[in-house]
């Protein structure tokens, strides 16, 4: 990963983890806890792709595994977020731009359910049966609900910051195609570039007309 991506991702993950542990975990909501760390990984994975999503997910999960009051085996949440980040990165559009909010919302719901199931499955393999006592069905429903309600306030902002850190609205695309896409977007949004080109064309036409007029005048004088 690029240094600017690593710096931004590390900062966002640490901030999300602090808010997760100090604020969201203390709300005592019924069922699951809103997973701000998961939403941060999803937002970055939708911009950086599956490789970046897997790396960021693993690092974020590893920090969560050691952050107090963690009461599970180290590496458990790192595995979960690594898989989720990789799969979410596969949903990154080829053009780098999302056409609607439907796709990210589907990714959020699938990630909330998938991460809960994967976390419970890994816990069952290591002998952790806490999910059975809480109720897996209620955990799945509340996790999807809380993350879906929180996602519109988190995921778009994370994606915007990730693209701005690259100084490129279309992350991980080629230079020439990126320039073409950006210019097309600017022209369609009406920033004045099209008007500038029209003015340039008018100036060229007027200059050519003046040259032709001067040629005709010289020809008349010679006669």
């Amino acid at each position: 990963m690029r240094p600017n991506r690593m710096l931004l991702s590390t900062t966002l993950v640490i901030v999300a983890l602090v808010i997760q542990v100090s604020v969201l975990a203390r709300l005592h909501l019924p069922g699951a806890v809103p997973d701000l760390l998961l939403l941060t990984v999803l937002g970055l994975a939708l911009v950086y792709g599956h490789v970046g999503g897997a790396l960021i997910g693993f690092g974020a999960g590893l920090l969560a595994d050691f952050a107090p009051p963690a009461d599970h085996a180290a590496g458990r949440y790192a595995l979960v977020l690594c898989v989720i980040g990789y799969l979410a990165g596969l949903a990154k559009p080829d053009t780098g731009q999302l056409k609607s909010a439907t796709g990210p919302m589907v990714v959020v719901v699938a990630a909330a359910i998938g991460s809960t199931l994967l976390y419970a499955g890994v816990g069952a393999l290591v002998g952790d049966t806490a999910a059975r006592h809480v109720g897996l069905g209620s955990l799945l429903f509340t996790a999807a609900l809380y993350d879906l309600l929180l996602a519109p306030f988190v995921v778009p902002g994370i994606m915007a910051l990730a693209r701005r850190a690259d100084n490129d609205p279309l992350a991980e695309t080629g230079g020439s195609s990126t320039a073409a896409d950006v210019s097309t977007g600017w022209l369609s949004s009406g920033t004045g570039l099209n008007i500038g080109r029209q003015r340039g064309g008018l100036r060229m036409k007027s200059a050519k007309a003046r040259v032709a007029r001067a040629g005709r005048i010289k020809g008349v004088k010679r006669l």
Side-chain angles (χ1 to χ4, degrees), residues 9-128:
S9 301
T10 302
T11 303
L12 292 177
V13 165
I14 292 175
V15 171
L17 182 60
V18 170
I19 297 176
Q20 178 85 25
V21 173
S22 60
V23 178
L24 297 180
R26 299 185 180 184
L27 294 178
H28 301 293
L29 297 174
V33 176
D35 201 338
L36 182 61
L37 193 61
L38 173 65
L39 296 178
T40 302
V41 172
L42 292 180
L44 294 172
L46 288 173
V47 176
Y48 295 154
H50 58 282
V51 176
L55 294 175
I56 295 170
F58 179 80
L62 198 60
L63 287 177
D65 286 331
F66 289 101
D71 56 353
H72 54 268
R76 181 176 171 184
Y77 202 48
L79 174 61
V80 172
L81 286 187
C82 180
V83 174
I84 296 299
Y86 179 86
L87 296 177
L90 294 177
K92 174 182 175 291
D94 295 333
T95 60
Q97 289 181 329
L98 298 172
K99 297 181 180 180
S100 65
T102 304
M105 293 300 102
V106 173
V107 172
V108 168
V109 174
I113 296 175
S115 61
T116 304
L117 289 174
L118 187 58
Y119 186 84
V122 175
L125 292 177
V126 298
D128 185 2

